[in-house]
Amino acid sequence: MVRLARVCFRKYGNFVDNLRLYVRGGSGGMGLPRLGGQGGDGGSVWVVASENMTLRKLKDKYPHKRFIAGPGGNSSVRSLKGEKGVDCDVLAPVGITVTTDDERILGHLNVEGDRVMVVRGGRGGSFYTSFQPSRGQAKHIRLDLKLIADVGLVGFPNAGKSSLLKGLSNATPEIASYAFTTLKPQIGKVMYQDHKQISVADLPGLIEGAHLNRGMGHKFLKHVERTKHLMFVVDVSGFQLATKTPFRSAFEAVQLLTKELELYKEELLTKPALLVVNKMDLPGAEDKLAELTKQLHNPDEFCHLLPEDMIPKNFLAFKEVVPVSALTGFGVDQLKHIMRSALDEQADMEAQELHEERLKQLREKSRST
């Protein structure tokens, strides 16, 4: 029986994940030659992280997408030093990478209040410039949103990621029995009794060739970069994207997902990863899970099942393999517990590494004094 469920849910705007802006620093103020007065410097343009901002809001509020800082004040008899021009702050969401048109990175906005200067104001006129001011810098910049989430769901269309997100969290994404339901990233929060929260991002489904920018391609893969953990989600019965594409078993799906991430950026595979085997409510699921488990324990013995271009350089070692049914709720509570343990373990490791790094710096400082 075909199950369709359309529910109301909070969309994250009409999702916009990149924006191009024109920014210009303010011109410097005129100097005053007869008294040696110096003009004020022009204001600069900054991009500032704000939890309350989205790229959609920014685009709607400033449709011309032009941001110009204030000019510096002219030197005068009353004020030989002209006032500095007013800076222009462009509020942008947390999780932004700021780049130029030629993809040079200007900075990252990772937490509330992070600031990146994108153009500097012109210098005020002074003795050294014959009292002539300079113009402010001007350029086009790009704001590129890479979602920050604790866990990113990675899977092919119709693997049940949206249903799983709904079962794990307070999110209520659109769910249907057809592929490509998720066209925009959704974020849910998994809540725990001690008030701990884990953010989970359900990302648009990959297709084969995503690393070549097919389908959602790079739009999907760039979001994966800014998640702490990967959570592969596969259908225990395998999948077939379309009648003209080959059927893929669960084992093939895992390796093809791994290969797509590897081809895009190998460093992604250094992230801790969990494997969720979904749709365990289907007939024969237990036997298929046992077969998949055997294949994952000895992948080299089963790589002959894969086309040569699907075989990853390195098979991914999952911290846990968790069978679930997002439809019935089977295994979901166990998955929540495993997610929490994995993230807590990672946090402890990072804290230990930070502690050791600080000790190393203190030792080096003491040796140099």
Side-chain angles (χ1 to χ4, degrees), residues 16-71:
V16 176
D17 64 359
N18 62 82
L19 204 57
R20 186 172 184 259
L21 309 176
Y22 174 78
V23 291
R24 189 175 78 208
S27 297
M30 290 290 294
L32 188 63
R34 65 189 178 88
L35 295 177
Q38 182 175 337
D41 293 340
S44 300
V45 180
W46 298 76
V47 181
V48 184
S50 171
E51 294 279 5
N52 298 320
M53 182 56 69
T54 67
L55 290 183
R56 168 58 64 181
K57 286 182 183 178
L58 181 62
K59 182 179 180 181
D60 291 345
K61 188 173 181 179
Y62 303 99
H64 297 299
K65 296 178 284 186
R66 293 172 61 88
F67 297 87
I68 301 172

Side-chain angles (χ1 to χ4, degrees), residues 122 206 209 223 241 273 289 322 367:
L206 277 174
H223 293 308
L241 188 61
L289 175 63
V322 190
R367 290 193 194 103

Side-chain angles (χ1 to χ4, degrees), residues 5-304:
R6 293 187 178 274
V7 292
C8 296
F9 67 103
R10 178 187 173 193
K11 293 183 179 179
Y12 286 76
N14 289 321
F15 192 76
V16 176
D17 64 359
N18 62 82
L19 204 57
R20 186 172 184 259
L21 309 176
Y22 174 78
V23 291
R24 189 175 78 208
S27 297
M30 290 290 294
L32 188 63
R34 65 189 178 88
L35 295 177
Q38 182 175 337
D41 293 340
S44 300
V45 180
W46 298 76
V47 181
V48 184
S50 171
E51 294 279 5
N52 298 320
M53 182 56 69
T54 67
L55 290 183
R56 168 58 64 181
K57 286 182 183 178
L58 181 62
K59 182 179 180 181
D60 291 345
K61 188 173 181 179
Y62 303 99
H64 297 299
K65 296 178 284 186
R66 293 172 61 88
F67 297 87
I68 301 172
N74 294 331
S75 174
S76 67
V77 174
R78 292 185 177 180
S79 178
L80 290 180
K81 172 65 175 175
E83 291 187 1
K84 183 183 182 304
V86 177
D87 287 346
C88 174
D89 286 352
V90 182
L91 298 184
V94 173
I96 285 290
T97 298
V98 186
T99 65
T100 59
D101 268 352
D102 59 1
E103 299 186 349
R104 181 169 59 88
I105 294 176
L106 300 176
H108 301 282
L109 304 180
N110 292 324
V111 296
E112 173 82 17
D114 276 359
R115 301 170 63 85
V116 176
M117 182 189 290
V118 289
V119 286
R120 191 181 297 277
R123 293 291 186 184
S126 67
F127 173 81
Y128 300 102
T129 64
S130 300
F131 301 97
Q132 295 300 308
S134 61
R135 293 181 178 180
Q137 296 173 327
K139 67 179 66 162
H140 283 94
I141 63 169
R142 293 181 181 274
L143 306 183
D144 191 26
L145 177 61
K146 296 182 178 181
L147 293 175
I148 292 180
D150 296 312
V151 177
L153 302 184
V154 179
F156 289 112
N158 219 27
K161 300 190 309 301
S162 295
S163 298
L164 183 62
L165 181 66
K166 182 181 179 183
L168 284 169
S169 71
N170 60 353
T172 52
E174 183 177 352
I175 301 165
S177 61
Y178 49 85
F180 296 108
T181 308
T182 304
L183 298 178
K184 300 170 184 176
Q186 310 291 335
I187 298 180
K189 294 283 187 180
V190 181
M191 311 293 291
Y192 293 86
Q193 290 185 346
D194 62 354
H195 306 295
K196 168 79 174 181
Q197 297 183 26
I198 291 176
S199 56
V200 182
D202 175 21
L203 307 171
L206 277 174
I207 65 169
E208 295 182 42
H211 68 282
L212 299 173
N213 209 19
R214 294 176 186 157
M216 300 299 287
H218 291 174
K219 280 193 172 186
F220 165 85
L221 290 164
K222 73 178 182 183
H223 293 308
V224 178
E225 293 184 60
R226 298 294 288 277
T227 58
K228 296 177 183 177
H229 277 237
L230 305 179
M231 186 185 293
F232 281 39
V233 183
V234 298
D235 184 331
V236 69
S237 300
F239 82 103
Q240 186 175 18
L241 188 61
T243 53
K244 294 182 180 180
T245 60
F247 174 83
R248 303 299 191 192
S249 68
F251 176 70
E252 288 176 297
V254 169
Q255 305 313 330
L256 187 52
L257 289 168
T258 303
K259 188 66 176 179
E260 287 295 339
L261 297 186
E262 175 187 279
L263 289 170
Y264 176 71
K265 189 171 288 187
E266 279 192 61
E267 304 94 273
L268 289 177
L269 299 179
T270 64
K271 293 178 182 288
L274 303 172
L275 173 60
V276 176
V277 185
N278 194 20
K279 305 189 182 182
M280 289 299 296
D281 55 289
L282 296 177
E286 291 292 342
D287 291 339
K288 291 171 183 173
L289 175 63
E291 181 182 10
L292 173 61
T293 302
K294 180 181 178 181
Q295 292 169 330
L296 291 173
H297 282 162
N298 299 287
D300 289 316
E301 293 183 18
F302 296 94
C303 65
H304 67 276

